[in-house]
Amino acid sequence: MTDAEDRKPQSDEARSAFRVPAGSSVTQVTQVIPVVPAAEAESSTTSEFAVPEGLTAPRTGTAESETTSEFAVPNGLDVTPPPVVEPEGSAFSLPSTYSASQAPPAFTPAGGTPAVNLPHDVPWQDRMRTMLRMSVADRPAPEPVHKAAEEGGPAVPRVLDLTLRIGELLLAGGEGAEDVEAAMFAVCRSYGLDRCEPNVTFTLLSISHQPSLVDDPVTASRTVRRRGTDYTRLAAVFRLVDDLSDPENHLSLEEAYRRLAEIRRNRHPYPGWALTAAAGLLAGTACVLVGGDLIVFVAAALGAMLGDRLAWLCAGRGLPEFYQFTVAAMPPAALGVALTAAHVDVKASAVITGGLFALLPGRALVAGVQDGLTGFYITASARLLEVMYFFVGIVTGVLLVLYFGVKLGAVLDPDAALAMSRRPVLQIVAAMLLSLTFAVLLQQERSTVLLVTLNGGVAWSVYGAMHDVGNISPVASTAVAAGLVGLFGQLLSRYRFASALPYTTAAIGPLLPGSATYFGLLSIAQNHVDNGLVSLAKAVSLAMAIAIGVNLGSEISRLFLKMPGAASAAGRRAAKRTRGF
């Protein structure tokens, strides 16, 4: 068969698909089509994903085929997002006029913030308080440490433990929260731990140390469970902190632990019988301040001593302090009511008022208000709540006795406060004696008793001159007298490098609102609730005037005396908050 025979004529439809339309020109194109052998044509398959001939594809080096995701970025396409431009006025946008060479004065200068110079001729309390009020980055570096015998410095956990033990003694002794933090910071800094943050609340002490920004912090805490009034121990702890803060004193960590153990083991400077006698003498001298005579003096002293012994008995049985105050307030009130019921010509109000003077928590009140004024609001709230509980305990004990006395027919006159006699010389002597006995009750050192006695006499003289002679309101007179107490106490403590509490707490004893408290309770017991509330409000006002006056006097002393870092920190902008924001 020939090729012509094999070719069959095509149909009209097949020829019409390749027919050139009329009027179109056709250019002849010659194309050489390679002939593929039959064997290769059968095995060769053409895929739409195959790489065309003449195009080299990169090899991945693996036998597996490369997969392409539909989310892959094509080669040559830049997908870098454009910079986000914050609108003008945003907190994260630079000012429109900002440039690195001409920075506004509000930004930190290239040389950094001015360094703070902390001289060593000022008390360590002022130096440590100045640094605590700075940020961690602005605090000056500590001096080289020579207190550690071992190489590489003392162990950080042991230093933190010593710091917490010292802070516990100070807080349990009634020291303010800011002074406790300053002492803790001083101990840490004396051993080279400068990046420390102490934190003080009413019952919990904690401190955290972070060596650097990349190291993990070390934190330790301690709970204060027992509180006691011993200003001799408080002064010894302050001396220990002062020795640790002195760079010329090479006090090792073991020596500091030994001295702290001796402070804990020391006995009280006065025996128990001396404390009981001091409580009775305090009540008797308080009666003289409100117009009492010799019989009233003896009755008030006996009632206060009996109440003190009953409170010691309750403390030995483990009763809370609320019940101790309640029991201690009952014997003086009972003696006053008994003398009135027996128709003895004495001032029962003076007897009961004298017994209240020995119980009013003036120390805790001053510490609570001081913490609130310095920004430690949690500790201040806890201290004031403690004062409220003590006051309620005193009120409960006195009200029970007055209520039963009124029911039994005792005639108690709430207007007796208007008949107070003015005996200035005798009252000044009584005020000084009251401060002396108050200092004994606070377990003060014998070297500080004379100074605090004179301070109490000055306070009562100023109060009497303003109130009795100048006819100024008792609240204003009390505030001014308490301010002088705080001023003189701060001056005495600064140059002895000691706490100001031993020089101020006992001196405010003559100013405590004992008579206002008694007459308020008596009016309530006689169903004169309105008059009673007015008298109690006056007592609260006097107490707040004492606390604020003492704190203000201390702050005034810091305004006029040499303060560390005052010249070097003059260029710093202080934080200011007004109108509540």
Side-chain angles (χ1 to χ4, degrees):
M1 184 180 295
T2 61
D3 293 338
E5 294 177 351
D6 292 337
R7 296 189 187 102
K8 295 181 180 180
Q10 296 179 352
S11 62
D12 295 338
E13 288 85 5
R15 289 195 301 267
S16 63
F18 300 96
R19 185 176 302 164
V20 178
S24 300
S25 61
V26 178
T27 303
Q28 184 178 1
V29 178
T30 305
Q31 182 178 5
V32 180
I33 301 176
V35 179
V36 182
E40 295 182 4
E42 292 178 358
S43 61
S44 175
T45 58
T46 302
S47 172
E48 59 180 347
F49 300 103
V51 180
E53 293 183 2
L55 180 63
T56 59
R59 298 291 182 180
T60 59
T62 58
E64 298 180 357
S65 60
E66 182 180 3
T67 59
T68 304
S69 171
E70 59 180 343
F71 300 102
V73 180
N75 295 331
L77 179 61
D78 187 11
V79 294
T80 304
V84 179
V85 180
E86 295 285 345
E88 185 70 23
S90 173
F92 302 99
S93 62
L94 296 177
S96 57
T97 59
Y98 176 78
S99 63
S101 59
Q102 298 178 353
F107 288 84
T108 303
T113 55
V116 176
N117 183 23
L118 298 174
H120 295 284
D121 56 346
V122 295
W124 62 266
Q125 299 98 311
D126 292 338
R127 290 187 283 118
M128 297 302 111
R129 189 182 293 109
T130 301
M131 283 190 289
L132 277 175
R133 293 176 180 178
M134 300 180 190
S135 61
V136 179
D138 294 339
R139 293 173 185 169
E143 295 81 5
V145 180
H146 304 288
K147 298 181 174 63
E150 62 269 16
E151 188 174 348
V156 173
R158 297 198 65 199
V159 175
L160 298 184
D161 178 71
L162 175 67
T163 303
L164 290 174
R165 291 177 183 272
I166 290 177
E168 178 189 7
L169 288 180
L170 293 176
L171 188 61
E175 192 63 62
E178 188 178 27
D179 292 330
V180 175
E181 282 195 358
M184 295 172 64
F185 188 76
V187 175
C188 287
R189 192 174 175 84
S190 64
Y191 288 103
L193 307 183
D194 58 329
R195 299 178 63 87
C196 290
E197 288 295 337
N199 188 18
V200 176
T201 58
F202 185 59
T203 57
L204 182 64
L205 298 169
S206 64
I207 188 167
S208 178
H209 168 66
Q210 188 175 13
S212 65
L213 295 177
V214 297
D215 294 329
D216 296 332
V218 180
T219 304
S221 62
R222 194 173 184 90
T223 303
V224 179
R225 303 189 183 276
R226 296 188 61 184
R227 300 178 183 274
T229 304
D230 190 346
Y231 282 180
T232 300
R233 177 181 296 177
L234 189 69
V237 176
F238 262 76
R239 282 193 294 268
L240 174 59
V241 178
D242 183 35
D243 292 340
L244 288 173
S245 303
D246 191 357
E248 298 180 359
N249 256 344
H250 306 327
L251 194 62
S252 65
L253 191 62
E254 298 299 330
E255 180 66 18
Y257 266 110
R258 186 190 63 79
R259 287 183 56 178
L260 187 63
E262 290 180 355
I263 293 173
R264 285 182 174 273
R265 287 195 301 265
N266 281 347
R267 297 178 60 87
H268 298 306
Y270 306 103
W273 64 266
L275 298 179
T276 302
L281 191 58
L282 188 151
T285 53
C287 293
V288 176
L289 289 178
V290 294
D293 52 9
L294 182 60
I295 299 178
V296 173
F297 180 92
V298 175
L302 290 177
M305 288 189 291
L306 181 59
D308 181 75
R309 287 293 90 192
L310 289 177
W312 276 99
L313 181 63
C314 293
R317 299 296 180 181
L319 288 177
E321 288 183 305
F322 176 85
Y323 302 105
Q324 298 176 27
F325 274 82
T326 302
V327 171
M330 296 177 73
L335 279 178
V337 172
L339 291 175
T340 303
H343 302 288
V344 179
D345 189 15
V346 295
K347 284 186 177 181
S349 60
V351 177
I352 301 175
T353 300
L356 292 178
F357 264 87
L359 298 176
L360 292 176
R363 171 185 57 86
L365 176 65
V366 172
V369 175
Q370 179 181 357
D371 289 341
L373 294 176
T374 52
F376 295 85
Y377 299 113
I378 297 178
T379 308
S381 301
R383 288 186 189 271
L384 295 178
L385 185 62
E386 181 189 39
V387 171
M388 187 193 72
Y389 271 102
F390 291 163
F391 190 76
V392 171
I394 297 172
V395 167
T396 303
V398 175
L399 271 181
L400 286 174
V401 175
L402 292 180
Y403 179 77
F404 286 107
V406 172
K407 291 296 182 182
L408 293 176
V411 180
L412 300 173
D413 186 11
D415 296 331
L418 302 177
M420 292 177 57
S421 58
R422 296 180 180 179
R423 299 168 293 180
V425 177
L426 182 61
Q427 287 178 336
I428 291 175
V429 174
M432 296 176 65
L433 189 58
L434 191 151
S435 299
L436 188 147
T437 53
F438 207 169
V440 173
L441 287 176
L442 294 174
Q443 304 280 359
Q444 290 189 198
E445 291 180 309
R446 291 180 173 86
S447 59
T448 63
V449 171
L450 178 61
L451 295 175
V452 74
T453 301
L454 296 176
N455 202 6
V458 171
W460 183 259
S461 301
V462 173
Y463 172 80
M466 294 183 63
H467 179 258
D468 296 337
V469 180
N471 294 324
I472 302 176
S473 67
V475 176
S477 303
T478 302
V480 174
L484 290 177
V485 168
L487 176 62
F488 294 153
Q490 189 67 29
L491 291 175
L492 292 172
S493 66
R494 283 178 62 90
Y495 296 104
R496 291 193 172 213
F497 293 86
S499 173
L501 288 180
Y503 302 99
T504 57
T505 305
I508 64 173
L511 304 176
L512 292 176
S515 59
T517 304
Y518 162 70
F519 288 112
L521 299 179
L522 179 59
S523 299
I524 294 176
Q526 294 178 344
N527 292 326
H528 302 294
V529 180
D530 294 339
N531 296 333
L533 292 179
V534 170
S535 296
L536 291 179
K538 178 182 177 181
V540 173
S541 301
L542 292 174
M544 292 297 294
I546 292 173
I548 295 176
V550 170
N551 181 263
L552 183 60
S554 301
E555 296 297 332
I556 288 176
S557 67
R558 296 191 181 102
L559 291 178
F560 296 100
L561 296 178
K562 184 178 181 180
M563 289 296 295
S568 56
R572 296 175 177 266
R573 291 182 177 270
K576 183 179 180 181
R577 183 173 67 175
T578 58
R579 301 183 184 90
F581 56 85

